Amino acid sequence: MRWWLALLLLGATPAQAADWVRSVAQRGDFPLVARGQAARIVTDPAEDAVVGIAAEDLKQDIGRVTGAAEGGAAQVWIGTLGHNEAIDRLVADKRIDVAKLKGAWESFLILPIERPAPGVARALLIIGSDRRGTAYGAYELSRAIGVSPWHWWADVTPLHRDALYVARDARRFGPPSVKYRGIFLNDEDWGLVPWAAGNHAPEEKPLGPKTYAQVFALLLRLKANLLWPAMHKVTTPFNADPANAALADRYAIIMGSSHAEPMLRNNVGEWTAPAEDFDYLKNPDEVRRYWDERVRSNAGYESIWTLGMRGIHDSGMVGPKTVEDRRAALERIFADQRAMLARAGAADAPQVFTPYKEVLDVYRAGLKVPDDVTLMWPDDNFGYIRHFPDAAERARKGGSGVYYHLSYLGAPLSYLWLSTTPPALIREEMGRAWDAGARQVWVANVGDLKPAELATDYFLSLAWAVDKVRAKPVDKFVEDWAAENVDAAQAPAIAEILRDYHRLNFARRPEHLQWNLPVDKYRQSPLTIGEADERLAAFAAMETALAQVEPAIPAERRDAFYELLAYPVRASAAANRRFFAAEAHDRLRDSDLAEATRRGRIAHEADSEIDRLTTYYNRELAGGKWRGIMAVEPADGQWRSYRQTPVVLPPVDAPAPPAGPVKAQPAAPVLPLLTPDRFAGWTRVEGLGRHGAMLAPSGKKEASRATIDLPPGEWTVLVDILPTYADRDGDALHLTVGIDGVTQALESRRETGSRDWAMGVLDNRATMTLTQRLSGGRHVVTLERADPGVLIEAIRFVPAPAEKADRGLH
């Protein structure tokens, strides 16, 4: 057994599934399924419930893949150190070395052993350092044999294998990079709730145990451990049904609550007094009683307690009028909330405080947060993190975390329909947070969960193994994910389609196809008809690539293909056709009625296509399993102040006038442009921006240089960057650019909530303007220095004055 002891001492890391679970045996392999019989799954009855759940799921997964039932001579032992008598006996007899496992957080070993007990010739041991580590081990083996974490939530049917052999090498997994990793189900009004209430679990008030059981199982398969439950008015509060909390404990899922729901209380559904009475200055006794009731009922469960206070449903705090008054009130609230936990025996339970929205101003005004409380730093709701821990914050005992949005209901415009946040943006922002020391808690707002499968998977994969995932190119991660969840043979082509999907929709999300804010008068897009046609041609090329892939998809993966790829690709393309065709109709109506009518019909056809695609998703896909899950934004008239305005479709019933030849619509003149591929010396960040990559400073001192030839005339220079934040919200990002040896120091500030910020997050771009004007001829451009977080999309040269030539999506 010396061979696996050496691997453990070296801290062996997991390999790809194909490397350690195979269909043809090699010398020394463990026969998980051989000659039509599966190894017997063995657990200790004294183990925690989640170990039994995971063991049963592994048994079912082996059956899903092979069709085999238990009956072989080999056994799989699944157990937790200190809770499994048979495994503990092996440790005591020094048959296995678990020194690196003892005391580790959520870690596990997978290793074969000869003759572990009388009458047992061989066993595969899955040993966890704690209850979740053990469960993760069982699900890791499930994934390695070909059962995707998304097998239920995205209908990723496992592909059949006749036999399964586990390589003889021992493997050690964990501990995770981020201690607490999870998701927030939010804005569930238009997907999860109607689906659960009318289809998945009509016998229980939504959302109830039947639905949460599937969520918990998914989290375990993704090696997550934390859930903030759904909390809108349409949803029954999670803790209103004690069965929900008990079920979370059985699955070993840690429960928390959002920044707006202190002390595990769902204020929207549980605070029954008027909203103005949720006031700690005038009504402290009633508020304390309300919180203490939840502490006493849930102190025995594994929870993360959100401290602080805001108003009902994500509104500002009621009562205190000034920042100083809010600071004093919050410090009093912290003390009272922690006293409640101490009285209930939960003083050492993890606690978090999120300086979200206006609360960030209170924090910066000197708010004293107890040192062992984790500071949860939010993004701006659009994927750009507002604050990164400084040295003093990194030194805090409670550390820091991040609350990150992959879906959002709010200003300036919501994005609730399709998941369009590029994995590359998640990588850059969460990687930057990790580097700054935010490593304690990561939570992603995933909205209705579907169709955010890829983004959710990537976020949680980063949280589990930051260094490993960051080291892999994003396109390679997506390709591997496509191979696992759709089709390995088509994975490179699928990854390329998803790259185009994120590039095109990041320039303008399908839910953001309007160029006026809801409070503004309507205004047209800044694209000419020709430029819009170029954008639509790119979507059409993406759909063509999809159509070429589709016939080769295995029949058992067709539903997964539709959910994970076909629907988002085709629906986003149709949304763009509908918007830009309707806009072209309005522009051409007075000058070219025949072409305007043709465009109007395209808009109607695209609208019908969206209806058809969505109807299939909701009624026919997977035998009707997902009826009610998919709603096109805006789904109704709620929250109109930050919902997309429905596209006005032109009339098409009147007969079209005689059509002449279709007139090509000219695009604007192509303006000189420096894109990331023109520069060397800085780091190229793939998968972001309108050109498929962006530039980031490499940390080295040398400048990056490019040359450009400008036509005769006078030119203004615009530098497009991602609308990221400096390390501290309110500070400026700095970039130094040189042209022909003349350098200029530029800066960009994000004022969250301002009009410039709003336009920046809708465009996913901010622009810096150089004061230097250039004449025609050759010019040398150098990127001299930049703050961390500066990501350059392009340098554009436009005829002066710049304002007349700035185009929105280029």
Side-chain angles (χ1 to χ4, degrees), residues 617-632:
Y617 204 127
N618 281 326
R619 297 183 183 177
E620 299 180 47
L621 178 68
K625 175 181 177 179
W626 298 112
R627 187 178 183 91
I629 196 72
M630 189 58 59
V632 179

Side-chain angles (χ1 to χ4, degrees), residues 303-307 334 337-338 341-342 346-353 370 372-376 398 441:
S303 304
I304 297 180
W305 297 87
T306 294
L307 304 186
F334 291 156
Q337 289 171 335
R338 286 161 65 85
L341 293 171
D348 295 331
Q351 301 157 33
V352 300
F353 172 68
D372 61 342
V373 173
T374 300
L375 295 173
M376 285 283 286
V441 186

Side-chain angles (χ1 to χ4, degrees), residues 1-158:
M1 304 301 292
R2 300 274 184 189
W3 51 270
W4 59 258
L5 285 171
L7 279 171
L8 290 182
L9 292 173
L10 290 171
T13 55
Q16 292 294 323
D19 294 334
W20 64 279
V21 176
R22 41 195 168 234
S23 298
V24 178
Q26 296 183 16
R27 185 174 178 272
D29 284 356
F30 175 82
L32 185 62
V33 175
R35 294 181 292 279
Q37 293 185 317
R40 186 160 66 93
I41 308 296
V42 180
T43 60
D44 192 317
E47 282 276 9
D48 195 273
V50 72
V51 176
I53 292 170
E56 180 61 26
D57 281 349
L58 175 60
K59 178 181 175 180
Q60 297 295 325
D61 290 346
I62 292 171
R64 289 186 180 101
V65 172
T66 66
E70 290 182 342
Q75 296 183 4
V76 178
W77 293 9
I78 304 174
T80 310
L81 285 181
H83 297 270
N84 184 293
E85 184 178 346
I87 289 174
D88 290 344
R89 188 182 304 118
L90 292 174
V91 174
D93 292 344
K94 298 185 179 179
R95 295 286 311 280
I96 55 177
D97 183 353
V98 294
K100 290 191 175 184
L101 200 61
K102 288 182 178 178
W105 178 258
E106 297 181 346
S107 302
F108 59 95
L109 306 177
I110 299 178
L111 64 147
I113 187 171
E114 304 290 333
R115 297 179 297 280
V120 181
R122 302 188 74 188
L124 182 70
L125 306 183
I126 300 176
I127 310 173
S129 62
D130 51 32
R131 62 178 183 160
R132 273 188 298 276
T134 306
Y136 293 158
Y139 289 119
E140 184 68 25
L141 182 56
S142 283
R143 192 166 190 173
I145 68 175
V147 180
S148 165
W150 299 98
H151 81 96
W152 192 89
W153 278 99
D155 300 296
V156 183
T157 304

Side-chain angles (χ1 to χ4, degrees), residues 227-559:
L227 177 68
W228 291 358
M231 45 71 71
H232 272 213
K233 284 183 179 181
V234 71
T235 305
T236 303
F238 181 84
N239 287 295
D241 183 351
N244 285 329
L247 186 70
D249 186 60
R250 283 181 51 78
Y251 278 85
I253 296 299
I254 304 164
M255 293 305 300
S257 55
S258 77
H259 60 91
E261 303 169 277
M263 308 306 283
L264 299 183
R265 274 295 197 179
N266 181 326
N267 297 326
V268 172
E270 295 186 304
W271 180 260
T272 57
E276 59 268 22
D277 289 349
F278 196 55
D279 183 336
Y280 211 70
L281 297 187
K282 75 174 186 180
N283 198 20
D285 292 342
E286 188 62 20
V287 174
R288 276 196 297 266
R289 182 206 59 76
Y290 170 71
W291 287 336
D292 195 52
E293 181 181 351
R294 180 54 37 77
V295 172
R296 287 185 281 108
S297 68
N298 286 53
Y301 295 128
E302 202 174 357
S303 304
I304 297 180
W305 297 87
T306 294
L307 304 186
M309 186 176 189
R310 295 187 73 224
I312 302 298
H313 209 315
D314 200 10
S315 58
M317 186 190 299
V318 176
K321 302 301 183 186
T322 66
V323 169
E324 182 58 31
D325 289 343
R326 294 189 186 101
R327 183 192 63 77
L330 280 172
E331 290 176 1
R332 177 185 167 194
I333 289 167
F334 291 156
D336 290 349
Q337 289 171 335
R338 286 161 65 85
M340 294 175 200
L341 293 171
R343 287 194 298 270
D348 295 331
Q351 301 157 33
V352 300
F353 172 68
T354 305
Y356 184 68
K357 293 188 176 179
E358 80 287 340
V359 182
L360 185 58
D361 296 330
V362 182
Y363 173 79
R364 289 179 175 162
L367 178 69
K368 292 181 175 61
V369 182
D371 188 64
D372 61 342
V373 173
T374 300
L375 295 173
M376 285 283 286
W377 302 112
D379 68 348
D380 65 348
N381 307 314
F382 289 82
Y384 303 105
I385 297 174
R386 293 183 60 183
H387 180 98
F388 298 86
D390 59 25
E393 289 155 351
R394 284 192 290 271
R396 291 171 45 84
K397 181 180 177 181
S400 290
V402 177
Y403 169 42
Y404 193 81
H405 285 76
L406 301 174
S407 173
Y408 181 59
L409 172 66
L413 283 172
S414 307
Y415 56 106
L416 301 172
W417 175 29
L418 301 178
S419 180
T420 49
T421 299
L425 181 65
I426 302 171
R427 179 187 186 276
E428 290 305 307
E429 288 294 281
M430 297 308 299
R432 188 177 166 201
W434 167 264
D435 292 340
R439 304 180 175 189
Q440 188 72 1
V441 186
W442 284 12
V443 175
N445 185 325
V446 300
D448 280 319
L449 185 57
K450 294 182 73 64
E453 296 95 342
L454 172 58
T456 301
D457 204 326
Y458 191 77
F459 179 92
L460 292 174
S461 296
L462 269 177
W464 173 260
V466 166
D467 291 341
K468 178 183 175 184
V469 175
R470 289 175 80 186
K472 178 184 286 190
V474 168
D475 285 350
K476 185 63 172 75
F477 181 97
V478 175
E479 183 178 326
D480 291 346
W481 190 84
E484 178 182 33
N485 292 288
V486 184
D487 181 26
Q490 303 299 319
I494 291 171
E496 188 63 30
I497 292 168
L498 285 170
R499 182 184 176 95
D500 288 341
Y501 169 81
H502 287 114
R503 176 178 61 83
L504 291 168
N505 288 301
F506 193 57
R508 203 76 180 188
R509 298 181 192 263
E511 303 91 341
H512 298 164
L513 290 175
Q514 66 183 61
W515 270 258
N516 57 287
L517 301 182
V519 297
D520 297 341
K521 293 181 179 180
Y522 168 78
R523 69 183 178 98
Q524 293 179 329
S525 78
L527 276 69
T528 65
I529 293 175
E531 289 168 333
D533 285 348
E534 290 177 0
R535 175 171 170 82
L536 295 180
F539 273 104
M542 181 176 64
E543 290 188 279
T544 298
L546 181 78
Q548 292 171 346
V549 165
E550 189 166 18
I553 302 300
E556 57 267 50
R557 291 288 178 85
R558 290 292 177 90
D559 289 341

